[in-house]
Coordinates of all heavy atoms in Angstrom, one line a residue:
M1 N 8.1 -13.7 11.8 CA 7.5 -13.1 10.6 C 6.5 -12.0 11.2 O 5.3 -12.3 11.2 CB 6.8 -14.2 9.8 CG 5.9 -13.7 8.7 SD 5.5 -15.0 7.6 CE 3.8 -15.4 8.2
P2 N 6.9 -10.8 11.5 CA 6.0 -9.8 11.9 C 5.3 -9.2 10.7 O 5.8 -8.8 9.7 CB 6.9 -8.7 12.5 CG 8.2 -9.3 12.7 CD 8.3 -10.5 11.8
L3 N 3.9 -9.3 10.7 CA 3.1 -8.8 9.6 C 2.5 -7.5 10.1 O 2.3 -7.2 11.3 CB 1.9 -9.8 9.3 CG 2.3 -11.1 8.9 CD1 1.1 -12.0 8.6 CD2 3.1 -11.0 7.6
F4 N 2.3 -6.6 9.1 CA 1.7 -5.3 9.3 C 0.6 -5.1 8.3 O 0.7 -5.4 7.1 CB 2.7 -4.2 9.2 CG 3.9 -4.3 10.1 CD1 5.1 -5.1 9.9 CD2 3.8 -3.7 11.3 CE1 6.1 -5.2 10.8 CE2 4.8 -3.7 12.3 CZ 5.9 -4.5 12.0
L5 N -0.5 -4.5 8.8 CA -1.6 -4.1 7.9 C -1.4 -2.6 7.7 O -1.3 -1.8 8.6 CB -3.0 -4.3 8.7 CG -4.2 -3.7 7.9 CD1 -4.5 -4.4 6.7 CD2 -5.3 -3.8 9.0
I6 N -1.4 -2.2 6.4 CA -1.2 -0.9 6.0 C -2.5 -0.4 5.3 O -2.9 -1.0 4.4 CB 0.0 -0.6 5.2 CG1 1.3 -1.3 5.8 CG2 0.2 0.8 4.8 CD1 2.4 -1.4 4.9
T7 N -3.0 0.8 5.9 CA -4.2 1.3 5.2 C -3.8 2.7 4.8 O -3.4 3.6 5.6 CB -5.4 1.4 6.1 OG1 -5.7 0.1 6.6 CG2 -6.7 1.9 5.4
C8 N -3.8 3.0 3.4 CA -3.5 4.3 2.9 C -4.7 5.0 2.4 O -5.5 4.4 1.7 CB -2.5 4.1 1.8 SG -1.1 3.1 2.3
T9 N -4.9 6.3 2.7 CA -6.0 7.0 2.3 C -5.5 8.1 1.2 O -4.6 8.8 1.5 CB -6.6 7.8 3.5 OG1 -7.0 6.8 4.4 CG2 -7.9 8.5 3.1
D10 N -6.2 8.1 0.1 CA -5.9 9.0 -1.0 C -6.4 10.4 -0.7 O -7.4 10.6 0.0 CB -6.5 8.6 -2.3 CG -5.8 7.4 -3.0 OD1 -5.0 6.8 -2.3 OD2 -6.1 7.1 -4.2
H11 N -5.7 11.4 -1.2 CA -6.2 12.7 -1.3 C -7.4 12.8 -2.1 O -7.4 12.0 -3.1 CB -5.2 13.7 -1.8 CG -4.1 14.1 -0.8 ND1 -4.2 15.1 0.2 CD2 -2.7 13.7 -0.8 CE1 -3.1 15.2 0.9 NE2 -2.2 14.4 0.3
E12 N -8.2 13.6 -2.0 CA -9.4 13.9 -2.9 C -8.9 14.3 -4.2 O -7.9 15.0 -4.4 CB -10.4 15.0 -2.4 CG -11.2 14.4 -1.2 CD -12.1 13.3 -1.6 OE1 -12.8 13.3 -2.7 OE2 -12.2 12.3 -0.8
N13 N -9.5 13.9 -5.3 CA -9.2 14.3 -6.7 C -7.8 13.9 -7.1 O -7.1 14.7 -7.8 CB -9.5 15.7 -6.9 CG -10.9 16.1 -6.6 OD1 -11.9 15.4 -7.1 ND2 -11.1 17.1 -5.9
S14 N -7.2 12.7 -6.7 CA -5.9 12.3 -6.9 C -5.8 11.3 -8.0 O -4.7 10.8 -8.2 CB -5.2 11.9 -5.6 OG -5.9 10.7 -5.2
L15 N -6.8 11.0 -8.7 CA -6.9 9.9 -9.6 C -5.8 10.1 -10.8 O -5.1 9.2 -11.0 CB -8.3 9.8 -10.3 CG -8.4 8.7 -11.4 CD1 -8.0 7.3 -10.9 CD2 -9.7 8.7 -12.0
E16 N -5.8 11.3 -11.3 CA -4.8 11.5 -12.4 C -3.4 11.3 -12.0 O -2.5 10.7 -12.6 CB -5.0 12.9 -13.0 CG -4.1 13.2 -14.2 CD -4.4 14.6 -14.7 OE1 -5.6 15.0 -14.8 OE2 -3.4 15.3 -15.2
K17 N -3.1 11.8 -10.8 CA -1.7 11.6 -10.2 C -1.5 10.1 -9.9 O -0.4 9.6 -10.1 CB -1.6 12.4 -9.0 CG -0.1 12.5 -8.5 CD 0.0 13.5 -7.3 CE -0.1 14.9 -7.7 NZ 0.3 15.8 -6.7
R18 N -2.5 9.5 -9.3 CA -2.4 8.0 -9.0 C -2.0 7.2 -10.3 O -1.1 6.4 -10.2 CB -3.7 7.5 -8.4 CG -3.7 6.0 -8.1 CD -5.1 5.6 -7.6 NE -5.1 5.5 -6.1 CZ -4.7 4.4 -5.5 NH1 -4.3 3.3 -6.2 NH2 -4.7 4.3 -4.2
L19 N -2.7 7.5 -11.4 CA -2.5 6.8 -12.6 C -1.1 7.1 -13.1 O -0.4 6.2 -13.7 CB -3.5 7.1 -13.6 CG -5.0 6.7 -13.2 CD1 -6.0 7.1 -14.3 CD2 -5.0 5.1 -13.0
A20 N -0.6 8.3 -13.0 CA 0.7 8.6 -13.5 C 1.8 8.0 -12.8 O 2.9 7.6 -13.3 CB 0.8 10.2 -13.5
V21 N 1.7 7.9 -11.4 CA 2.7 7.4 -10.5 C 2.6 5.8 -10.4 O 3.5 5.2 -10.0 CB 2.6 8.0 -9.1 CG1 3.6 7.6 -8.2 CG2 2.7 9.6 -9.3
R22 N 1.6 5.3 -10.8 CA 1.2 3.8 -10.6 C 2.4 2.9 -11.0 O 2.7 1.9 -10.3 CB -0.1 3.4 -11.3 CG -0.5 2.0 -10.9 CD -1.9 1.8 -11.5 NE -2.5 0.5 -11.0 CZ -2.5 -0.6 -11.8 NH1 -1.9 -0.6 -13.0 NH2 -2.9 -1.7 -11.3
P23 N 3.0 3.1 -12.2 CA 4.1 2.2 -12.6 C 5.2 2.1 -11.5 O 5.7 1.0 -11.2 CB 4.6 2.7 -13.9 CG 3.4 3.4 -14.4 CD 2.7 4.0 -13.2
K24 N 5.6 3.2 -10.9 CA 6.6 3.2 -9.9 C 6.2 2.5 -8.7 O 6.9 1.8 -7.9 CB 7.1 4.7 -9.5 CG 7.8 5.4 -10.6 CD 8.1 6.8 -10.2 CE 8.6 7.7 -11.3 NZ 8.8 9.1 -10.8
H25 N 5.0 2.7 -8.3 CA 4.3 2.1 -7.2 C 4.3 0.5 -7.3 O 4.7 -0.2 -6.4 CB 2.9 2.6 -6.9 CG 2.1 1.9 -6.0 ND1 2.2 2.0 -4.6 CD2 1.0 1.1 -6.2 CE1 1.3 1.3 -4.0 NE2 0.5 0.6 -5.0
L26 N 3.9 0.1 -8.5 CA 3.8 -1.4 -8.7 C 5.3 -2.0 -8.8 O 5.4 -3.1 -8.4 CB 3.1 -1.6 -10.1 CG 1.6 -1.3 -10.1 CD1 1.1 -1.6 -11.5 CD2 0.9 -2.0 -9.0
E27 N 6.1 -1.3 -9.3 CA 7.5 -1.8 -9.4 C 8.0 -2.1 -8.0 O 8.7 -3.1 -7.8 CB 8.5 -0.8 -10.0 CG 9.9 -1.2 -10.2 CD 10.7 -0.1 -11.0 OE1 10.3 0.5 -11.9 OE2 11.9 0.1 -10.5
R28 N 7.8 -1.2 -7.0 CA 8.2 -1.5 -5.6 C 7.5 -2.7 -5.0 O 8.1 -3.5 -4.3 CB 7.9 -0.2 -4.7 CG 8.9 0.9 -5.1 CD 8.8 2.0 -4.2 NE 9.6 1.8 -2.9 CZ 9.1 1.8 -1.8 NH1 7.9 2.0 -1.5 NH2 9.9 1.5 -0.7
L29 N 6.1 -2.8 -5.3 CA 5.4 -3.9 -4.8 C 5.9 -5.2 -5.4 O 5.9 -6.3 -4.7 CB 3.9 -3.7 -5.0 CG 3.3 -2.6 -4.3 CD1 1.8 -2.4 -4.6 CD2 3.4 -2.8 -2.7
Q30 N 6.2 -5.2 -6.7 CA 6.7 -6.5 -7.3 C 8.0 -6.9 -6.7 O 8.3 -8.1 -6.6 CB 6.9 -6.1 -8.9 CG 5.5 -6.1 -9.6 CD 5.6 -5.6 -11.0 OE1 6.6 -5.0 -11.4 NE2 4.6 -5.8 -11.7
A31 N 8.9 -5.9 -6.4 CA 10.1 -6.3 -5.7 C 9.9 -6.8 -4.3 O 10.6 -7.8 -4.0 CB 11.0 -5.0 -5.6
L32 N 8.9 -6.3 -3.6 CA 8.5 -6.8 -2.3 C 8.0 -8.2 -2.4 O 8.4 -9.1 -1.6 CB 7.6 -5.9 -1.6 CG 7.6 -6.0 -0.1 CD1 8.8 -5.6 0.5 CD2 6.4 -5.0 0.4
D33 N 7.2 -8.5 -3.5 CA 6.6 -9.7 -3.7 C 7.7 -10.8 -4.0 O 7.7 -11.9 -3.5 CB 5.6 -9.6 -4.8 CG 4.8 -10.9 -5.1 OD1 4.4 -11.6 -4.0 OD2 4.6 -11.3 -6.2
A34 N 8.6 -10.4 -4.8 CA 9.8 -11.3 -5.2 C 10.6 -11.7 -4.0 O 11.1 -12.8 -4.1 CB 10.7 -10.6 -6.2
Q35 N 10.6 -10.8 -3.0 CA 11.3 -11.1 -1.7 C 10.5 -12.0 -0.8 O 11.0 -12.4 0.3 CB 11.7 -9.9 -1.0 CG 12.6 -9.0 -1.8 CD 12.7 -7.6 -1.2 OE1 12.4 -7.3 -0.1 NE2 13.3 -6.7 -1.9
G36 N 9.3 -12.3 -1.1 CA 8.3 -13.1 -0.4 C 7.7 -12.4 0.8 O 7.3 -13.0 1.8
R37 N 7.8 -11.0 0.8 CA 7.3 -10.2 1.9 C 6.0 -9.5 1.7 O 5.5 -8.8 2.6 CB 8.4 -9.1 2.3 CG 9.7 -9.8 2.6 CD 10.8 -8.9 3.2 NE 10.8 -7.6 2.6 CZ 11.6 -6.7 3.0 NH1 12.3 -6.8 4.1 NH2 11.6 -5.5 2.5
L38 N 5.4 -9.7 0.5 CA 4.1 -9.1 0.2 C 3.0 -10.2 0.4 O 3.0 -11.2 -0.3 CB 4.0 -8.5 -1.1 CG 2.8 -7.8 -1.6 CD1 2.5 -6.6 -0.7 CD2 2.9 -7.4 -3.0
I39 N 2.1 -10.0 1.4 CA 1.0 -10.9 1.6 C -0.2 -10.6 0.7 O -0.7 -11.5 0.0 CB 0.6 -11.0 3.1 CG1 1.9 -11.1 3.9 CG2 -0.4 -12.0 3.3 CD1 2.7 -12.3 3.7
V40 N -0.6 -9.4 0.7 CA -1.7 -9.0 -0.2 C -1.5 -7.4 -0.4 O -1.0 -6.7 0.5 CB -3.0 -9.3 0.4 CG1 -3.3 -8.5 1.7 CG2 -4.2 -9.2 -0.6
A41 N -1.9 -6.9 -1.5 CA -2.0 -5.5 -1.8 C -3.0 -5.2 -2.8 O -3.2 -6.0 -3.8 CB -0.6 -5.1 -2.3
G42 N -3.7 -4.1 -2.6 CA -4.7 -3.7 -3.6 C -5.3 -2.4 -3.3 O -5.2 -1.8 -2.3
A43 N -5.9 -1.8 -4.4 CA -6.5 -0.5 -4.2 C -7.9 -0.6 -3.7 O -8.6 -1.7 -4.0 CB -6.5 0.2 -5.6
M44 N -8.5 0.4 -3.2 CA -9.9 0.5 -2.8 C -10.7 1.4 -3.6 O -10.6 2.7 -3.4 CB -10.0 0.9 -1.2 CG -9.2 -0.1 -0.4 SD -9.2 0.4 1.4 CE -8.4 1.9 1.4
P45 N -11.3 1.0 -4.7 CA -12.0 1.8 -5.6 C -13.3 2.4 -4.9 O -13.9 1.8 -4.1 CB -12.4 0.9 -6.8 CG -12.5 -0.4 -6.2 CD -11.4 -0.5 -5.0
K46 N -13.6 3.6 -5.4 CA -14.9 4.2 -4.9 C -16.1 3.5 -5.4 O -17.1 3.4 -4.7 CB -14.9 5.7 -5.3 CG -13.9 6.6 -4.5 CD -14.1 8.0 -5.0 CE -13.0 8.9 -4.3 NZ -13.3 9.2 -2.9
Q47 N -15.9 2.9 -6.6 CA -17.0 2.1 -7.1 C -16.4 0.8 -7.9 O -15.5 1.0 -8.6 CB -17.8 2.9 -8.3 CG -18.4 4.1 -7.8 CD -19.1 4.8 -8.9 OE1 -19.1 4.4 -10.1 NE2 -19.6 6.0 -8.6
H48 N -16.9 -0.3 -7.6 CA -16.5 -1.6 -8.3 C -16.6 -1.4 -9.7 O -17.7 -0.9 -10.2 CB -17.2 -2.8 -7.7 CG -16.6 -3.4 -6.5 ND1 -15.3 -4.0 -6.5 CD2 -17.1 -3.3 -5.2 CE1 -15.1 -4.4 -5.2 NE2 -16.2 -4.0 -4.5
G49 N -15.6 -1.8 -10.5 CA -15.8 -1.8 -12.0 C -15.7 -0.4 -12.6 O -15.9 -0.3 -13.8
N50 N -15.4 0.6 -11.9 CA -15.4 2.0 -12.4 C -14.2 2.7 -11.9 O -14.4 3.6 -11.0 CB -16.6 2.8 -12.1 CG -16.7 4.1 -12.8 OD1 -15.8 4.5 -13.6 ND2 -17.6 4.9 -12.4
P51 N -13.0 2.4 -12.4 CA -11.8 3.1 -11.9 C -11.8 4.6 -12.1 O -11.2 5.4 -11.4 CB -10.6 2.4 -12.7 CG -11.3 1.7 -13.8 CD -12.7 1.4 -13.4
Q52 N -12.5 5.1 -13.1 CA -12.6 6.5 -13.3 C -13.3 7.3 -12.2 O -13.2 8.5 -12.1 CB -13.3 6.8 -14.7 CG -12.4 6.3 -15.9 CD -11.0 6.9 -15.8 OE1 -10.8 8.1 -15.6 NE2 -10.1 6.0 -15.9
A53 N -14.0 6.6 -11.3 CA -14.6 7.2 -10.1 C -13.7 7.5 -9.1 O -14.0 8.2 -8.2 CB -15.8 6.3 -9.6
G54 N -12.4 7.0 -9.2 CA -11.3 7.3 -8.3 C -11.2 6.2 -7.2 O -11.9 5.2 -7.2
F55 N -10.3 6.5 -6.2 CA -10.0 5.5 -5.2 C -10.0 6.1 -3.8 O -9.6 7.3 -3.7 CB -8.6 4.9 -5.5 CG -8.6 4.1 -6.8 CD1 -8.3 4.7 -8.1 CD2 -8.8 2.6 -6.8 CE1 -8.4 4.0 -9.2 CE2 -8.8 2.0 -7.9 CZ -8.6 2.6 -9.1
D56 N -10.4 5.4 -2.9 CA -10.4 5.8 -1.5 C -8.9 5.6 -1.0 O -8.5 6.4 -0.1 CB -11.3 5.0 -0.6 CG -12.8 5.4 -0.9 OD1 -13.1 6.7 -1.0 OD2 -13.6 4.5 -1.0
G57 N -8.1 4.7 -1.5 CA -6.9 4.4 -1.0 C -6.4 3.0 -1.4 O -6.9 2.5 -2.4
S58 N -5.5 2.4 -0.5 CA -5.0 1.2 -0.8 C -4.8 0.4 0.5 O -4.6 1.0 1.6 CB -3.5 1.3 -1.4 OG -3.6 2.0 -2.5
T59 N -4.8 -0.9 0.5 CA -4.6 -1.8 1.6 C -3.4 -2.8 1.3 O -3.4 -3.3 0.2 CB -5.8 -2.5 2.1 OG1 -6.8 -1.5 2.4 CG2 -5.6 -3.4 3.3
L60 N -2.5 -2.9 2.2 CA -1.5 -3.9 2.1 C -1.3 -4.7 3.3 O -1.5 -4.2 4.5 CB -0.1 -3.2 1.8 CG 0.0 -2.3 0.6 CD1 -0.3 -0.9 0.9 CD2 1.4 -2.5 0.1
I61 N -0.9 -5.9 3.3 CA -0.4 -6.7 4.4 C 1.0 -7.2 4.0 O 1.2 -7.8 2.9 CB -1.3 -7.8 4.7 CG1 -2.7 -7.4 5.2 CG2 -0.7 -8.7 5.9 CD1 -3.6 -8.5 5.4
V62 N 1.9 -6.8 4.7 CA 3.4 -6.9 4.5 C 4.1 -7.7 5.6 O 3.7 -7.6 6.7 CB 4.0 -5.7 4.0 CG1 3.4 -5.1 2.8 CG2 4.0 -4.6 5.1
D63 N 5.2 -8.3 5.3 CA 6.1 -8.9 6.3 C 7.4 -8.1 6.3 O 8.1 -8.1 5.4 CB 6.3 -10.3 5.8 CG 7.2 -11.1 6.8 OD1 7.7 -10.6 7.8 OD2 7.4 -12.3 6.5
F64 N 7.7 -7.5 7.5 CA 8.9 -6.8 7.7 C 9.5 -7.3 9.1 O 8.7 -7.6 10.0 CB 8.8 -5.3 7.7 CG 8.8 -4.7 6.3 CD1 7.6 -4.7 5.6 CD2 10.0 -4.2 5.8 CE1 7.6 -4.1 4.2 CE2 10.0 -3.7 4.5 CZ 8.8 -3.6 3.7
D65 N 10.8 -7.2 9.2 CA 11.5 -7.7 10.5 C 11.1 -6.8 11.6 O 11.1 -7.1 12.8 CB 13.0 -7.8 10.3 CG 13.4 -8.9 9.4 OD1 12.6 -9.9 9.3 OD2 14.4 -8.9 8.7
S66 N 10.9 -5.5 11.3 CA 10.5 -4.5 12.4 C 9.7 -3.3 11.8 O 9.7 -3.1 10.6 CB 11.9 -3.9 12.9 OG 12.5 -3.1 12.0
R67 N 9.1 -2.6 12.7 CA 8.4 -1.4 12.3 C 9.3 -0.4 11.7 O 8.9 0.4 10.8 CB 7.6 -0.9 13.5 CG 6.9 0.4 13.3 CD 5.8 0.3 12.3 NE 5.4 1.6 11.8 CZ 4.2 2.2 12.2 NH1 3.5 1.7 13.1 NH2 3.9 3.4 11.8
E68 N 10.6 -0.3 12.3 CA 11.4 0.7 11.8 C 11.8 0.4 10.2 O 12.0 1.3 9.4 CB 12.8 0.7 12.6 CG 12.6 1.3 14.0 CD 11.9 0.3 15.0 OE1 11.8 -1.0 14.7 OE2 11.3 0.8 16.0
E69 N 12.1 -0.9 10.0 CA 12.3 -1.3 8.6 C 11.2 -1.0 7.7 O 11.3 -0.5 6.6 CB 12.6 -2.8 8.5 CG 13.1 -3.3 7.2 CD 13.3 -4.8 7.2 OE1 13.6 -5.4 8.2 OE2 13.3 -5.3 6.0
L70 N 9.9 -1.2 8.1 CA 8.8 -0.9 7.4 C 8.7 0.6 7.1 O 8.4 1.1 6.0 CB 7.5 -1.4 8.0 CG 6.2 -1.0 7.4 CD1 6.0 -1.4 6.0 CD2 5.0 -1.5 8.3
D71 N 8.8 1.4 8.2 CA 8.8 2.8 8.1 C 9.8 3.4 7.1 O 9.5 4.3 6.3 CB 9.0 3.6 9.4 CG 7.8 3.4 10.4 OD1 6.7 3.0 9.9 OD2 8.0 3.7 11.6
A72 N 11.0 2.8 7.0 CA 12.0 3.3 6.0 C 11.5 2.9 4.6 O 11.7 3.7 3.7 CB 13.4 2.6 6.4
W73 N 10.8 1.7 4.4 CA 10.4 1.4 3.1 C 9.2 2.3 2.7 O 9.2 2.8 1.6 CB 9.9 -0.1 3.2 CG 9.4 -0.7 1.9 CD1 10.2 -1.0 0.8 CD2 8.0 -0.7 1.4 NE1 9.4 -1.4 -0.2 CE2 8.0 -1.2 0.1 CE3 6.8 -0.5 2.0 CZ2 6.9 -1.5 -0.6 CZ3 5.6 -0.7 1.3 CH2 5.8 -1.2 0.0
L74 N 8.3 2.6 3.7 CA 7.2 3.4 3.3 C 7.6 4.9 3.1 O 6.9 5.5 2.2 CB 6.2 3.5 4.5 CG 5.3 2.3 4.8 CD1 4.6 2.4 6.1 CD2 4.4 2.1 3.6
A75 N 8.6 5.3 3.6 CA 9.2 6.7 3.4 C 9.5 6.9 1.9 O 9.5 8.1 1.4 CB 10.3 7.0 4.2
L76 N 9.8 5.9 1.2 CA 10.1 5.9 -0.3 C 8.9 5.5 -1.2 O 9.2 5.4 -2.4 CB 11.4 5.0 -0.5 CG 12.6 5.4 0.3 CD1 13.8 4.4 0.0 CD2 13.0 6.8 -0.1
E77 N 7.9 5.3 -0.6 CA 6.6 5.0 -1.4 C 6.3 6.1 -2.4 O 5.9 7.3 -1.9 CB 5.4 4.7 -0.5 CG 4.1 4.5 -1.2 CD 4.0 3.6 -2.3 OE1 4.6 2.4 -2.2 OE2 3.5 4.0 -3.4
P78 N 6.2 5.8 -3.7 CA 5.9 6.9 -4.7 C 4.6 7.5 -4.5 O 4.4 8.7 -4.6 CB 6.0 6.1 -6.1 CG 6.9 5.0 -5.8 CD 6.6 4.6 -4.3
F79 N 3.5 6.8 -4.1 CA 2.2 7.4 -3.9 C 2.3 8.4 -2.7 O 1.6 9.3 -2.7 CB 1.1 6.3 -3.6 CG 0.6 5.7 -4.9 CD1 -0.4 4.6 -4.8 CD2 1.0 6.0 -6.2 CE1 -0.8 4.1 -5.8 CE2 0.5 5.5 -7.4 CZ -0.5 4.4 -7.1
W80 N 3.1 8.1 -1.8 CA 3.3 9.1 -0.6 C 4.1 10.3 -1.1 O 3.8 11.4 -0.9 CB 4.0 8.3 0.5 CG 4.3 9.2 1.7 CD1 5.5 9.7 2.1 CD2 3.3 9.7 2.6 NE1 5.3 10.4 3.3 CE2 4.0 10.5 3.6 CE3 1.9 9.7 2.8 CZ2 3.4 11.2 4.7 CZ3 1.3 10.3 3.8 CH2 2.1 11.1 4.7
L81 N 5.3 10.0 -1.7 CA 6.2 11.1 -2.1 C 5.5 12.0 -3.1 O 5.8 13.3 -3.2 CB 7.4 10.5 -2.7 CG 8.4 9.7 -1.7 CD1 9.5 9.1 -2.5 CD2 8.8 10.7 -0.7
E82 N 4.7 11.4 -4.0 CA 4.0 12.3 -5.0 C 2.7 12.9 -4.7 O 2.0 13.6 -5.5 CB 3.9 11.5 -6.3 CG 5.2 11.0 -7.0 CD 6.0 12.1 -7.5 OE1 5.4 13.2 -7.9 OE2 7.3 12.0 -7.6
G83 N 2.3 12.7 -3.4 CA 1.1 13.3 -2.8 C -0.2 12.6 -3.3 O -1.3 13.2 -3.2
V84 N -0.1 11.4 -3.6 CA -1.4 10.6 -3.9 C -2.0 10.2 -2.5 O -3.2 10.5 -2.3 CB -1.2 9.3 -4.7 CG1 -2.4 8.5 -4.8 CG2 -0.7 9.6 -6.0
Y85 N -1.2 9.8 -1.6 CA -1.7 9.4 -0.3 C -1.7 10.6 0.6 O -0.7 11.3 0.8 CB -0.8 8.3 0.4 CG -0.8 7.0 -0.3 CD1 0.2 6.1 -0.2 CD2 -2.0 6.4 -0.9 CE1 0.2 4.8 -0.7 CE2 -2.0 5.2 -1.4 CZ -1.0 4.4 -1.3 OH -1.0 3.1 -1.8
A86 N -2.8 10.8 1.4 CA -2.9 11.8 2.4 C -2.5 11.3 3.7 O -2.0 12.0 4.6 CB -4.3 12.4 2.4
Q87 N -2.7 10.0 3.9 CA -2.4 9.4 5.2 C -2.0 8.0 5.0 O -2.5 7.3 4.2 CB -3.7 9.5 6.1 CG -3.6 9.0 7.4 CD -4.7 9.2 8.3 OE1 -5.6 10.0 8.1 NE2 -5.0 8.3 9.3
I88 N -1.2 7.4 5.9 CA -0.8 6.1 6.0 C -0.9 5.6 7.4 O -0.3 6.2 8.3 CB 0.6 5.8 5.4 CG1 0.7 6.2 4.0 CG2 1.0 4.3 5.6 CD1 2.2 6.1 3.4
D89 N -1.7 4.6 7.6 CA -1.9 4.0 8.9 C -1.4 2.6 9.0 O -1.6 1.8 8.1 CB -3.5 4.0 9.3 CG -3.7 3.5 10.7 OD1 -3.1 4.0 11.6 OD2 -4.6 2.6 10.8
V90 N -0.6 2.3 10.0 CA 0.0 1.0 10.1 C -0.3 0.3 11.4 O -0.2 1.0 12.5 CB 1.6 1.1 10.1 CG1 2.3 -0.2 10.3 CG2 2.0 1.7 8.8
K91 N -0.7 -0.9 11.4 CA -1.0 -1.7 12.6 C -0.5 -3.0 12.5 O -0.3 -3.6 11.4 CB -2.6 -1.8 12.7 CG -3.3 -0.5 13.0 CD -4.7 -0.8 13.2 CE -5.5 0.4 13.8 NZ -5.7 1.4 12.9
P92 N 0.0 -3.6 13.6 CA 0.4 -5.1 13.6 C -0.8 -5.9 13.2 O -1.9 -5.6 13.4 CB 0.8 -5.3 15.1 CG 1.0 -3.9 15.7 CD 0.1 -3.0 15.0
F93 N -0.4 -7.0 12.6 CA -1.4 -7.9 12.1 C -1.0 -9.4 12.4 O 0.1 -9.8 12.2 CB -1.5 -7.8 10.6 CG -2.6 -8.6 9.9 CD1 -4.0 -8.1 9.9 CD2 -2.3 -9.8 9.2 CE1 -4.9 -8.9 9.3 CE2 -3.3 -10.5 8.6 CZ -4.6 -10.1 8.7
N94 N -2.0 -10.2 12.9 CA -1.8 -11.6 13.1 C -2.7 -12.3 12.1 O -3.9 -12.2 12.2 CB -2.2 -12.0 14.5 CG -1.3 -11.4 15.6 OD1 -0.1 -11.2 15.4 ND2 -1.8 -11.1 16.7
K95 N -2.0 -13.0 11.3 CA -2.8 -13.9 10.3 C -3.4 -15.2 11.0 O -2.6 -15.9 11.6 CB -1.9 -14.3 9.1 CG -2.6 -15.1 8.1 CD -1.6 -15.5 7.0 CE -2.3 -16.5 6.1 NZ -1.3 -17.3 5.3
A96 N -4.7 -15.4 10.8 CA -5.3 -16.6 11.4 C -5.7 -17.6 10.2 O -5.5 -18.7 10.3 CB -6.5 -16.3 12.1
F97 N -6.3 -17.0 9.1 CA -6.7 -17.8 8.0 C -6.3 -17.0 6.7 O -6.2 -15.8 6.6 CB -8.2 -18.0 8.0 CG -8.7 -18.8 9.1 CD1 -9.1 -18.3 10.2 CD2 -8.6 -20.3 9.0 CE1 -9.5 -19.1 11.3 CE2 -9.1 -21.1 9.9 CZ -9.5 -20.4 11.2
P98 N -6.1 -17.7 5.6 CA -6.1 -19.2 5.5 C -4.8 -19.8 6.2 O -3.8 -19.2 6.3 CB -6.1 -19.5 4.0 CG -5.4 -18.3 3.4 CD -5.8 -17.1 4.3
Q99 N -5.0 -21.0 6.7 CA -3.9 -21.6 7.4 C -3.0 -22.3 6.3 O -3.4 -22.6 5.3 CB -4.4 -22.7 8.3 CG -5.2 -22.1 9.5 CD -5.8 -23.1 10.4 OE1 -5.8 -24.3 10.1 NE2 -6.3 -22.6 11.6
G100 N -1.7 -22.4 6.7 CA -0.7 -23.0 5.9 C 0.1 -22.2 5.0 O 0.0 -21.0 5.0

């Protein structure tokens, strides 16, 4: 079960585009979750409780068999394709807690 930590950084002033593309983004995450490969996913708001302030990006922890498989999945990410994300950083991840 190779896990990967993905940190995505938004372009500045991408809130409107993010909100427009969000349904496609969530659809892919729901499919990954249904496959049991999504550990955690969420947005990083600039201000808690104020989504209109925008977002710094997103963080995900996912389970893929290989980095190549993950890269193929990321290449079709709507936030990447539509220019919401300026950068995607991927690192291997070892889960310690919670146990079980």
Side-chain angles (χ1 to χ4, degrees):
M1 172 166 97
L3 298 179
F4 297 91
L5 171 68
I6 305 167
T7 305
C8 307
T9 305
D10 284 15
H11 281 283
E12 286 296 320
N13 302 312
S14 62
L15 178 60
E16 187 175 318
K17 190 177 286 189
R18 176 184 261 271
L19 295 176
V21 178
R22 189 171 185 262
K24 292 178 188 176
H25 169 73
L26 292 180
E27 184 178 313
R28 292 186 81 236
L29 291 177
Q30 288 168 343
L32 201 61
D33 188 40
Q35 296 167 13
R37 301 188 322 171
L38 182 61
I39 309 305
V40 67
M44 299 179 296
K46 291 183 184 282
Q47 297 175 9
H48 277 289
N50 182 11
Q52 292 306 311
F55 295 85
D56 289 317
S58 305
T59 299
L60 302 90
I61 299 176
V62 297
D63 179 358
F64 276 85
D65 291 333
S66 68
R67 175 62 194 262
E68 293 77 20
E69 184 182 338
L70 171 58
D71 287 344
W73 184 82
L74 284 171
L76 299 176
E77 167 54 46
F79 279 176
W80 178 252
L81 294 174
E82 297 293 333
V84 174
Y85 291 153
Q87 179 177 337
I88 298 177
D89 183 50
V90 178
K91 292 187 171 69
F93 183 80
N94 291 330
K95 180 183 169 200
F97 292 96
Q99 295 179 348

